[in-house]
Amino acid sequence: MQEENNNKNGSENNNEPKKKNKNIFFVYGAILVGILLLQFVPFKAGTQEIGWETLNNLIQNGYVTKIDVINRDYAEIYVKETNLEEAKKLAKTDAELEVKGPQFKYVISSPEGFDQKLEQAQSNLANSEKIYTKNIKRKDIWGEAIGWLLPILLLVFLWFFMFRRVGGGAGGSNIFSMGKSRAKLFEGSKIKITFDNVAGLYEAKQEIVEIVDFLKSPDKYTKLGGKIPKGVLLVGPPGTGKTLLAKAVAGEAEVPFFSMSGSDFVEMFVGVGASRVRDLFAQAKAKAPCIIFIDEIDAVGRSRSKKASFSSNDERENTLNQLLTEMDGFDTNTGVILLAATNRADILDSALLRAGRFDRQIMLDLPDLKEREEIFKVHTTGLTISKDLNLNLLSKQTPGFSGADIANVCNEAALIAARKGKEMITHEDFHDAIDKVIGGLEKRSKVIKPEEKKRIAFHEAGHATVSWMLEHAQPLIKVTIVPRGRSLGAAWYLPEERQLTTRQQFYDELCATLGGRAAEEIMLKNVSSGALNDLERVTKQAYSMIVYFGMSDKLPNVSYYDSSGQEYAFTKPYSEKTAEIIDSEVQEIINVQYKRAKQIILDNLEKFEKLSQRLHEKEVIFTEDVEDFLGKRVFNSDAQDVIDGVKKFRDENLKKEQEEIIKEQKQAEDLKKESEKKDKPKF
Ligand code: ADP
Ligand code: ZN
């Protein structure tokens, strides 16, 4: 009971039940150990086990008054009180013996044999003096109890363990709190995030300001009979700041904020999800006005399947139904506002999006150039950065980055600078951080065989050469053959910020991606497994061109894309024959582009070879190295000022490095001269 109370208070007290649980287990363990110990405690205090020799002696001396045979297993021997001391001497024992008896125990190996032996031992005695054994059946309570108690205890233990695992996680929940919501509660006054922390996202902020206003002064709206949306759906790719925005709303309005992920509702036990929803809303109503934030709502909100197929997940549907019921059940004016986040609004159940539920949708896109710059600004305040840091250039260098990626870059840059023991974070550190976020950490220690290194150089130079010659391939920034993350080499491109991709652009990109393997085949006459990543990308892209974008000559203008994500779960929407055409078309596209890539390399073979040589020597090359051999890229590119900007910083660094090298050389020479001077007298 107490545990339930504890959980009601929200997340702060979550440690308490956990501790208690441990105690319960400790008690169970102690009982078990106790029972086991009892088993091994000697049969009865004050009883000595003796052999036949001793028993025979005792009988011959006439000390024994009574022998009880217990369960035909052992005999309890009673000795006359007056003979106790002598008996002890006979048994060669110093132990205190029970006065009333039994004082000795004799283990019987065969009951019949024992009777005979006893008979023999007393054969010289008169019948009236003989001792006769009495057979006694005695129940060993503990022994029997343990026989059935142990399995039960084991079962109980397993059961608890299972429930704990299932219900486990951060909430420290146990079976008693399975149905409790596992929402984290943030008190409004403690949330330090405001709209100032959210960069960009102007439209989203504008829409959401109204909600803050309502939470702050609901009377203003209710007086006029206006209705505020109950639910707002934030839609956008991961890391675009959905959680951040929701928190900012709570921070601005200074109201409590319940945060939970959609997957927290889903459990393998029937009814748990629905009960958690109920509990969440009950908690929220008690704290109104407040905000409930459900991240990844698609985990529960996925549209319910129309056909009752075996794929339908009843438990999830129950949970969703409960959510819908709760949303209908509360009056807008209770002051509870539901914010939910998803990156796929299209797969949500339409009932969720109906008026009176999540009737407002706010789109959060990946940030554009200007927004990225602002996000950089937000995340570099508080860092010690050098004055010449060019945020604009950084934002140009990071197309396709989400807000979370940028936050990551800023943090990485700080760590990199700290590792180098710098006073402040410079642009170079940000470069390294961007490279790392894109390609993983450099692994200079990875051992690479010379011939492998050569192959990698050919491969990467192949990418560089082919992409340089293609109009629509992405402009190259940097190529390296230093292993990074899990790949052995990498090339950095600057993706164009475009919303649409044309057929020709697809072709050029496929061709550039195949350039690595093409170069390997031309130079080494065989291919390697190093192109796995490239081939995977190429295959997926070629497939999507045909099946989704209708860009194939044999299957023009058809798309088997399913935006609802469930139409074609078990059946393909096309015939076997079409499937064959798709396969052959995929192969065809790839073949053509592979040939094209090879041709481009062959046409520029000499330049390509020089480029791969330079790459092999320097391990890292930049745009200008490629320009040295292949000439200026003829295609106009917006990327030029990024390339120039990056180059400028690199040149400055290079100058600094060279100056340092010269300085070091000079120092070394001076040292040498000095030591030569010292050495001279010796010769
Ligand atoms: P989502 O919920 O959309 O997956 P989050 O809100 O959790 O993404 O964002 C993760 C992190 O990325 C945030 O904590 C924040 O540091 C950073 N971030 C994302 N978008 C922005 C933004 N627009 N302005 C500032 N920081 C952002
Ligand atoms: Zn490659």
Side-chain angles (χ1 to χ4, degrees):
M1 264 298 128
Q2 241 197 322
E3 296 186 17
E4 290 193 4
N5 286 340
N6 274 332
N7 258 7
K8 277 231 170 76
N9 293 343
S11 60
E12 298 97 295
N13 287 338
N14 271 340
N15 286 339
E16 199 83 347
K18 212 170 201 175
K19 240 186 237 160
K20 224 168 238 172
N21 251 339
K22 262 192 198 143
N23 284 345
I24 285 175
F25 274 95
F26 186 74
V27 169
Y28 284 144
I31 290 174
L32 251 177
V33 170
I35 290 173
L36 285 175
L37 270 181
L38 266 175
Q39 281 298 298
F40 296 110
V41 166
F43 148 83
K44 210 167 199 183
T47 312
Q48 282 291 311
E49 195 173 325
I50 50 172
W52 172 252
E53 201 67 24
T54 318
L55 179 56
N56 195 16
N57 279 338
L58 286 172
I59 294 170
Q60 299 305 334
N61 283 313
Y63 299 154
V64 178
T65 53
K66 191 168 91 170
I67 297 178
D68 288 343
V69 174
I70 311 293
N71 297 345
R72 294 162 69 94
D73 283 339
Y74 58 89
E76 286 178 353
I77 289 109
Y78 292 77
V79 174
K80 277 182 210 140
E81 263 176 60
T82 45
N83 298 121
L84 223 51
E85 283 310 307
E86 290 98 324
K88 253 166 91 171
K89 255 180 227 148
L90 259 179
K92 297 190 185 79
T93 174
D94 297 329
E96 242 356 274
L97 288 176
E98 185 90 16
V99 180
K100 285 224 175 81
Q103 290 88 349
F104 297 106
K105 177 186 172 186
Y106 170 74
V107 178
I108 297 168
S109 45
S110 96
E112 287 75 27
F114 180 64
D115 281 344
Q116 271 179 15
K117 270 201 253 179
L118 211 59
E119 186 70 54
Q120 264 175 19
Q122 305 187 86
S123 53
N124 52 347
L125 291 180
N127 270 359
S128 59
E129 290 176 322
K130 275 187 188 166
I131 311 162
Y132 290 99
T133 58
K134 199 159 92 193
N135 274 316
I136 295 177
K137 271 230 165 79
R138 194 182 286 162
K139 274 204 173 140
D140 179 4
I141 298 173
W142 278 116
E144 272 184 29
I146 216 161
W148 54 264
L149 213 62
L150 204 66
I152 290 180
L153 276 175
L154 214 72
L155 271 178
V156 168
F157 186 78
L158 273 176
W159 190 58
F160 263 84
F161 185 70
M162 208 174 77
F163 270 95
R164 269 174 63 85
R165 287 293 295 271
V166 170
S173 53
N174 54 41
I175 43 166
F176 303 115
S177 61
M178 274 280 275
K180 302 278 145 201
S181 91
R182 278 199 256 130
K184 259 193 243 142
L185 172 63
F186 299 92
E187 286 298 340
S189 52
K190 285 191 196 133
I191 300 174
K192 292 280 179 287
I193 295 170
T194 64
F195 284 147
D196 291 338
N197 298 94
V198 186
L201 304 175
Y202 306 108
E203 294 86 8
K205 271 199 260 183
Q206 223 166 33
E207 290 230 19
I208 227 157
V209 159
E210 197 178 304
I211 290 169
V212 175
D213 214 26
F214 167 76
L215 286 167
K216 268 185 172 161
S217 47
D219 299 347
K220 197 171 104 191
Y221 290 85
T222 48
K223 240 195 280 176
L224 298 174
K227 268 196 190 138
I228 270 293
K230 283 183 194 173
V232 177
L233 194 62
L234 304 168
V235 186
T240 42
K242 298 184 288 293
T243 314
L244 189 70
L245 196 61
K247 262 196 190 162
V249 173
E252 289 278 340
E254 298 196 332
V255 295
F257 179 78
F258 289 92
S259 170
M260 195 164 174
S261 167
S263 52
D264 286 347
F265 290 113
V266 185
E267 204 73 85
M268 60 187 274
F269 296 100
V270 178
V272 171
S275 140
R276 282 187 184 158
V277 172
R278 242 182 334 254
D279 187 57
L280 173 64
F281 276 81
Q283 282 186 38
K285 270 181 219 162
K287 289 250 178 192
C290 69
I291 289 175
I292 298 177
F293 177 65
I294 303 178
D295 206 356
E296 295 167 31
I297 196 168
D298 35 309
V300 273
R302 199 179 285 265
S303 63
R304 290 163 292 186
S305 46
K306 284 141 224 152
K307 352 164 199 170
S309 68
F310 57 89
S311 73
S312 75
N313 182 343
D314 284 339
E315 169 57 8
R316 211 199 61 226
E317 284 184 14
N318 286 343
T319 310
L320 176 56
N321 284 336
Q322 187 64 40
L323 186 64
L324 296 174
T325 315
E326 290 289 344
M327 284 191 82
D328 288 340
F330 72 86
D331 196 4
T332 325
N333 304 335
T334 50
V336 178
I337 287 188
L338 202 56
L339 296 179
T342 178
N343 47 7
R344 295 202 60 186
D346 51 341
I347 61 166
L348 291 184
D349 198 285
S350 51
L352 259 183
L353 307 176
R354 210 168 289 151
R357 289 165 185 162
F358 288 104
D359 40 15
R360 210 174 269 204
Q361 286 190 28
I362 297 179
M363 296 294 200
L364 282 82
D365 261 328
L366 284 176
D368 62 18
L369 193 69
K370 188 155 155 275
E371 286 174 317
R372 282 201 301 275
E373 191 176 335
E374 282 176 33
I375 298 175
F376 265 116
K377 201 183 268 160
V378 167
H379 286 282
T380 46
T381 50
L383 299 180
T384 321
I385 50 172
S386 69
K387 271 186 237 96
D388 64 342
L389 193 70
N390 185 343
L391 294 184
N392 183 263
L393 178 63
L394 280 181
S395 111
K396 279 182 182 161
Q397 272 181 272
T398 48
F401 274 43
S402 69
D405 291 333
I406 292 174
N408 194 6
V409 165
C410 293
N411 189 44
E412 282 297 336
L415 294 183
I416 289 171
R419 211 173 296 146
K420 291 182 191 159
K422 286 188 184 173
E423 301 267 287
M424 51 178 64
I425 313 164
T426 64
H427 208 101
E428 195 194 344
D429 303 317
F430 277 91
H431 280 318
D432 290 348
I434 291 170
D435 286 357
K436 185 179 163 188
V437 168
I438 297 175
L441 198 63
E442 272 192 357
K443 285 202 192 124
R444 285 192 180 270
S445 57
K446 200 170 193 163
V447 184
I448 298 208
K449 282 199 217 150
E451 61 262 43
E452 280 178 343
K453 190 177 166 192
K454 220 164 154 190
R455 181 184 286 275
I456 298 166
F458 283 138
H459 181 106
E460 297 301 335
H463 283 308
T465 307
V466 175
S467 68
W468 198 256
M469 296 295 166
L470 292 171
E471 178 174 359
H472 299 296
Q474 293 159 356
L476 182 88
I477 302 274
K478 172 177 167 183
V479 188
T480 164
I481 54 169
V482 177
R484 233 173 218 284
R486 298 186 59 197
S487 66
L488 298 174
W492 277 259
Y493 299 92
L494 201 63
E496 217 177 323
E497 290 190 57
R498 59 170 182 234
Q499 306 297 324
L500 299 171
T501 310
T502 64
R503 200 165 166 178
Q504 196 56 48
Q505 283 166 341
F506 270 125
Y507 284 148
D508 283 3
E509 272 168 22
L510 289 177
C511 186
T513 314
L514 286 165
R517 170 159 275 203
E520 281 186 55
E521 196 191 326
I522 289 170
M523 302 308 296
L524 301 166
K525 303 286 179 273
N526 70 17
V527 292
S528 75
S529 60
L532 173 67
N533 231 319
D534 300 337
L535 298 185
E536 183 189 348
R537 263 175 42 216
V538 163
T539 311
K540 277 192 184 143
Q541 207 166 60
Y543 182 81
S544 65
M545 279 177 74
I546 294 155
V547 180
Y548 299 149
F549 304 125
M551 287 184 184
S552 128
D553 294 331
K554 288 194 188 137
L555 295 169
N557 305 333
V558 281
S559 172
Y560 299 110
Y561 185 67
D562 171 31
S563 58
S564 66
Q566 48 171 318
E567 229 41 70
Y568 309 143
F570 295 103
T571 50
K572 289 229 151 67
Y574 41 74
S575 67
E576 283 298 316
K577 221 171 121 199
T578 311
E580 274 170 30
I581 298 176
I582 291 172
D583 287 342
S584 73
E585 283 286 272
V586 167
Q587 191 63 60
E588 172 73 13
I589 287 183
I590 294 175
N591 284 350
V592 169
Q593 293 312 320
Y594 187 60
K595 264 193 206 130
R596 191 167 159 223
K598 278 210 293 198
Q599 198 53 53
I600 290 173
I601 294 176
L602 286 174
D603 288 347
N604 301 280
L605 196 58
E606 217 171 298
K607 300 172 191 168
F608 162 76
E609 277 181 280
K610 276 190 194 139
L611 181 68
S612 41
Q613 225 162 34
R614 166 87 60 100
L615 180 57
H616 190 254
E617 278 160 21
K618 282 176 58 177
E619 296 196 338
V620 184
I621 58 171
F622 298 90
T623 323
E624 58 266 28
D625 296 291
V626 187
E627 273 176 8
D628 277 354
F629 298 113
L630 295 171
K632 261 220 174 313
R633 198 158 182 254
V634 277
F635 312 106
N636 263 344
S637 155
D638 313 332
Q640 200 52 51
D641 52 339
V642 180
I643 293 170
D644 293 345
V646 174
K647 187 164 180 282
K648 200 186 106 210
F649 276 100
R650 221 178 24 251
D651 287 346
E652 280 166 15
N653 275 325
L654 216 63
K655 221 161 79 189
K656 266 187 233 156
E657 264 174 37
Q658 273 167 354
E659 278 166 14
E660 252 168 51
I661 290 173
I662 292 172
K663 219 161 89 189
E664 272 173 26
Q665 276 174 349
K666 229 171 134 194
Q667 276 175 353
E669 268 172 35
D670 289 349
L671 269 176
K672 215 170 148 194
K673 270 185 207 154
E674 253 175 54
S675 61
E676 271 171 12
K677 260 188 222 157
K678 268 187 208 156
D679 288 345
K680 254 180 195 156
K682 279 188 183 169
F683 294 95

